[in-house]
Each structure stands twice: as structure tokens, then as C-alpha cells.
Amino acid sequence: MISFVPEPHLLGSARGRDWPGLLPSPAFADSAVPPRSADVVIAGAGPAGLAVASALWHHGIRDVVLLDRDRPCGRFFTRIDLLRQRVLRSPYEHHPGVEGFRDCELLDFARMHWSLLSAVERNEIRMAQAGHRSVVPVDVFEAYCEHLVASHHIGERTWRQNVRDVLPSADSVAVRTDTTTVTARFAVLCMGESRREAPDGWWTGAGVRYWDQPVPPGAGRVIVIGAGLTAAHLVSNALADGAEVHWVIRETEERYQCADVNSKFFRPEGRARFDGVSWEDRLTLMGRFRRASIMFEFRPGFQRAEAEGKLVVHRGRAVKAVTEGVAVELEDGTRIDGDLALLALGTTPSTGSEVLPDEVIGARDGWADLDERTLAYRLAPRVHAVGATAGMVLGPAARNIDGHRIATARVAAAVAAGLFGRTLVPDLAVSRA
């Protein structure tokens, strides 16, 4: 069997380019305090919140308030830049926004700025047009997000606020922030995922950093714990900085995969497969397919570094403890001493528990109880969820950018039906079982 391994140069791309012709858009609304009422409040202005706001705009819903601690998609790109990430794993067809409304899509946007792209980036566009896997530069994706913010008037509907509580009632939802309360007819939670914390007993003081924290320079020996794409970036960055790197992986080998989710779950037949099975079978599928993996492009560089002794990979080794010093103790008794330990232990999907009353979530095996058609909380039908929260409805794809768009289509249609008194058209792809 012949295996195709993409070249590592695809991982490189320019960052910070000037994109002429972008529509001007404010990062935040003019006033510091949002209005006291709105048709819809969106908690979270990351890629999921951006997709929801864009979809509602196309449904004619303009009385929308977005609340976030940062500018639209700000935290998303801050985290990417901390990892020194230059390309996205999601291909050109996976992007925020709305299908079916003749929007300028991500591939269209990239082609419009052809003159700014490198030869490698142009070839990726040709690959995308031919229906093959492609890699999207972070720069292109950020500029496209700015285009969506401007063209759908999202910036002026976004307020820098930290959401504290979402309190649903029979006919409205009260969204409380640090400074005010916005009462809306509907709320959409786009809370994303948070980093998975180290187990109790691990040392997490000086010399230990999580993946979403700045990495201090100058470490001679760096220990990376984790098996996913984030860990791969940390390993790659440390090698580029000249450090000796020890990489601890609990699995017996690295798992390389083009996308972070098996592509079958993005297609209607894949989603129908997930919809049509029992809760127990869904848990099994999530455990099987929601696993850490790495882009193929990293493999040649890592193999070369390992052969040269610059990278030591501890495969099939579980961590027993991280101790002050910094030392990593493995369960087989191995001790790795280093100057810096970097933790990339995965993420935990939000269920809404950060803001919703416990009795509303209806948590089961750590997942929220959501309506299959509308992605509303069954015990709070005016509150919807988009993102990883919807994993047990949409499957592993829920956490991906394209999964956001799938969820957004259901949520926006349900909210529009509720606001305008329309009948919600049944989604035949959703199981009634």
C-alpha cells in the first residue's frame, strides 16, 4: 500500500499580512454597556458565535447582543498565536458563516486575494478546488473572519462582557454579566471548550505551563505531555528553539490524521449514523473518534529529530506525577528531569454548567440534554447550544468549525421560528427515535 505524507513546508505561512479592501468594522460596540433587552443574546464570540450571528442576520434577526471577554474570535487567535500555529487543520470548506445564502465563503475570499498568497498557498487553493485535502493559512482565516464581522455587522453588536449567569424562564432568558443584565427572548451558548487540568497531586507551579499559557524562553530540556495537535506544536516549537525535547505519549504510538475528526461524521450519512443509535452506542463512538491526533505534516520533521537524538519519544508511558524541579515520573519508574514541562492534556467541552442552573442542564455522562432538532436544552427551550456542547447530538464533528455550521443551521431556524411564529420545518436527517 502506498501512503502519501504531505510535506512539512505546508505548516509554514505568513502571519500579520495587510489585507487591503476589508470592510471597516469596530471590534466592539460604541457603548460600554449593552442594551437591557434583545431578541437574542449570544454568549461567546468565537468561531461558533460568529457563525450563529451571521446566520441570524440572514434570517432577518438583527436585534442581537454578543457578549465576550475579547473581540470577535480574539481568544481563538490569541491561543493559536501562543502555539505559533500558522495553518489550520480544517480545510477550506470548513469555515464560519452560513451555507445557502450566497455568502462569500472562505475559498472565495482566498481566491479574491490571490496576489497576496505564496506559491504553496496558491497550490493549496487549487487542491481545494479539485476536491482534495487543503491547508488554510491562519492569516487567510483571520482576515475572512474579519470580513464576516464587518459584512454581517457583528462588531457593533459585540460587547466586552464576562457572562456570569444565564437564567431562563418561561418566556425569556436573563443573561447576567459582571456589570449588567440583558433580557432576551432566546439565548445561544457558544462557550467552547476549556483546557483539561492536571490531575490532583501534579506539581503545576514554576517550570510547568499549560498549552494556553506563554512559554518562557531559554529552556535547555523541555518535556511535553500530550498526544494531540497542540502537543505537536509545542514539540515543534521547542525543537525550533534548540531545546532537547522529551515527548510523553500515553498511547503506544502517535496518531496521525488529516482532520481532527473522521471526515465521515461531517457528511449527512455520517451524522445520520450517529443520530440513529442508542445513547450507549453514541458514547462508544465518541470515545473512539474523539481522540487526540496530529496533522501528517509534522511526521517527517519529528522522525528526523528523533533519529538525530534531538527528540526522545516516550510511547506507551503514562505519567504518574509531575514534581517540583521539574521532574516527570512515569508509571514504569522512569524519571525525566527537565527545565520546563508543557501540559497539553486535551480539553473539556462545556455543558453550560458555568452559567446555567444545574437543574436545567439535565447532565448525563457529562453531556447536556439537548433537543435533537433545535439543540435547545430540553428543560430550558429558549436556550440553545452550539459547539462541543452538542457532541452527543451531532457526534464528534460538533467541536469542529464545520460542526458549528451544522449546529448553527438548526439553531438559527429554531430561533427564527420562535421569533416570527413560523413552523419549524422538520429536519429529516435528525432521528425521531
Side-chain angles (χ1 to χ4, degrees), residues 339-362:
D339 303 304
L340 179 66
L342 302 177
L343 309 183
L345 308 177
T347 56
T348 302
S350 166
T351 61
S353 59
E354 308 92 332
V355 294
L356 282 169
D358 290 340
E359 62 270 17
V360 164
I361 297 169

Side-chain angles (χ1 to χ4, degrees), residues 94-427:
H94 295 183
H95 56 85
V98 195
E99 290 180 331
F101 290 98
R102 308 184 74 86
D103 261 351
C104 172
E105 297 186 352
L106 180 57
L107 185 57
D108 302 322
F109 182 86
R111 293 173 61 201
M112 288 168 57
H113 296 87
W114 186 262
S115 64
L116 300 179
L117 306 180
S118 69
V120 171
E121 292 167 341
R122 292 176 183 179
N123 191 58
E124 290 300 292
I125 289 177
R126 295 188 185 100
M127 295 282 283
Q129 288 178 296
H132 300 299
R133 177 180 178 268
S134 57
V135 171
V136 181
V138 168
D139 238 34
V140 172
F141 186 75
E142 183 174 30
Y144 177 73
C145 289
E146 291 176 1
H147 162 77
L148 281 184
V149 169
S151 59
H152 296 82
H153 305 279
I154 292 170
E156 56 261 43
R157 305 302 302 169
T158 302
W159 280 265
R160 188 192 293 272
Q161 297 280 330
N162 185 35
V163 175
R164 291 293 187 185
D165 298 291
V166 175
L167 305 174
S169 64
D171 57 1
S172 65
V173 184
V175 181
R176 295 179 179 173
T177 73
D178 291 333
T179 61
T180 190
T181 298
V182 183
T183 301
R185 294 177 66 185
F186 294 92
V188 184
L189 304 188
C190 302
M191 309 293 285
E193 302 179 65
S194 57
R195 73 185 185 204
R196 190 178 299 278
E197 299 291 327
D200 292 340
W202 284 23
W203 168 256
T204 54
V208 179
R209 293 286 188 278
Y210 285 96
W211 61 269
D212 58 351
Q213 295 175 320
V215 176
R221 176 181 284 188
V222 174
I223 307 167
V224 177
I225 302 173
L229 183 60
T230 297
H233 278 289
L234 296 174
V235 170
S236 181
N237 293 341
L239 289 171
D241 293 340
E244 175 191 338
V245 182
H246 285 251
W247 187 13
V248 182
I249 301 173
R250 184 171 52 191
E251 302 293 333
T252 56
E253 61 181 2
E254 304 92 315
R255 182 169 178 257
Y256 291 96
Q257 186 171 283
C258 289
D260 62 342
V261 172
N262 191 300
S263 61
K264 71 176 69 174
F265 289 106
F266 291 111
R267 295 191 290 268
E269 61 271 23
R271 296 196 300 275
R273 172 193 176 193
F274 192 85
D275 287 337
V277 301
S278 68
W279 182 271
E280 289 71 24
D281 287 340
R282 292 187 190 195
L283 285 174
T284 299
L285 287 170
M286 289 294 282
R288 180 180 175 189
F289 290 104
R290 195 182 182 275
R291 294 170 53 204
S293 63
I294 304 165
M295 289 172 64
F296 279 106
E297 284 81 359
F298 282 96
R299 188 161 66 181
F302 287 168
Q303 289 176 337
R304 189 162 50 248
E306 191 172 7
E308 295 171 352
K310 298 175 182 178
L311 171 65
V312 180
V313 186
H314 302 268
R315 298 177 176 89
R317 309 287 186 87
V319 175
K320 179 180 179 181
V322 178
T323 60
E324 188 175 1
V326 169
V328 174
E329 299 177 4
L330 306 182
E331 289 188 343
D332 66 357
T334 301
R335 175 187 170 103
I336 310 168
D337 291 295
D339 303 304
L340 179 66
L342 302 177
L343 309 183
L345 308 177
T347 56
T348 302
S350 166
T351 61
S353 59
E354 308 92 332
V355 294
L356 282 169
D358 290 340
E359 62 270 17
V360 164
I361 297 169
R364 182 179 176 188
D365 297 314
W367 295 94
D369 184 16
L370 302 178
D371 182 89
E372 302 269 326
R373 289 195 306 157
T374 66
L375 298 183
Y377 288 81
R378 293 187 191 277
L379 300 178
R382 290 186 176 272
V383 182
H384 301 258
V386 172
T389 312
M392 286 299 283
V393 176
L394 296 178
R399 68 194 299 252
N400 187 280
I401 290 171
D402 200 52
H404 298 168
R405 197 162 73 240
I406 297 165
T408 291
R410 298 188 188 183
V411 170
V415 169
L419 289 174
F420 302 134
R422 301 170 183 164
T423 300
L424 183 62
V425 178
D427 182 352

Side-chain angles (χ1 to χ4, degrees), residues 56-77:
L56 294 176
W57 188 88
H58 281 287
H59 278 279
I61 301 169
R62 311 294 164 82
D63 185 13
V64 175
V65 168
L66 288 94
L67 304 174
D68 198 294
R69 298 192 298 271
D70 205 335
R71 63 183 176 86
C73 294
R75 284 184 291 160
F76 178 83
F77 289 109

Side-chain angles (χ1 to χ4, degrees), residues 42-54:
I42 302 173
L50 183 58
V52 172
S54 301

